């Protein structure tokens, strides 16, 4: 049986250097007021992290599912856009 991680590895991602399509509006809110950091658990691509009291986001590999935007319902602290045309996830099926 094939694992999810193996399926994800078949995808390709074109990085739009220095233009991440998702931004944290106010990282201080995440660091100091959010007590769940649900984004770090719910992101299927592992783009979010919370280490040493600081939120981290690396959008390379983002699946564009929108979960992080929805799950941050308390603070609405995720500025979410699709990548520019020609960038982002390239899904492969099969
Ligand atoms: Fe992760 Fe989905 Fe948010 Fe991309 S859109 S960072 S895959 S939760």
């Amino acid at each position: 049986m094939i694992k999810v991680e193996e399926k994800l590895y078949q995808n390709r991602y074109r990085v739009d250097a220095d233009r991440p399509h998702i931004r944290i509006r106010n990282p201080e809110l995440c660091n100091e007021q959010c007590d769940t950091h649900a984004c770090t658990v719910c992101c299927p691509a592992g783009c979010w992290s919370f280490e040493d009291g600081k939120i981290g986001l690396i959008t390379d590999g983002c699946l564009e599912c929108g979960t992080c935007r929805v799950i941050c319902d308390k603070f609405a602290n995720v500025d979410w856009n699709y990548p520019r045309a020609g960038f982002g996830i390239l899904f492969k099926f099969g």
Side-chain angles (χ1 to χ4, degrees):
M1 177 181 291
I2 191 164
K3 295 179 181 177
V4 172
E5 291 80 8
E6 293 170 353
K7 294 283 281 185
L8 290 175
Y9 187 72
Q10 295 176 1
N11 297 324
R12 295 294 175 263
Y13 192 88
R14 296 188 66 190
V15 176
D16 195 358
D18 299 324
R19 292 190 61 163
H21 64 286
I22 303 172
R23 296 175 190 268
I24 304 168
R25 291 194 170 107
N26 181 0
E28 298 304 317
L29 267 178
C30 307
N31 299 341
E32 298 171 6
Q33 296 188 41
C34 180
D35 55 3
T36 64
H37 305 106
C39 52
T40 65
V41 178
C42 296
C43 174
C47 295
W48 295 80
S49 64
F50 187 73
E51 295 176 5
D52 299 325
K54 292 190 175 180
I55 196 74
L57 170 62
I58 298 175
T59 58
D60 300 359
C62 169
L63 302 174
E64 300 170 21
C65 68
T67 302
C68 53
R69 180 179 64 86
V70 174
I71 206 74
C72 187
D73 57 347
K74 186 173 179 182
F75 298 110
N77 204 19
V78 179
D79 181 9
W80 200 100
N81 295 282
Y82 283 107
R84 290 192 297 163
F87 295 96
I89 192 77
L90 304 169
F91 288 105
K92 286 192 174 180
F93 300 100

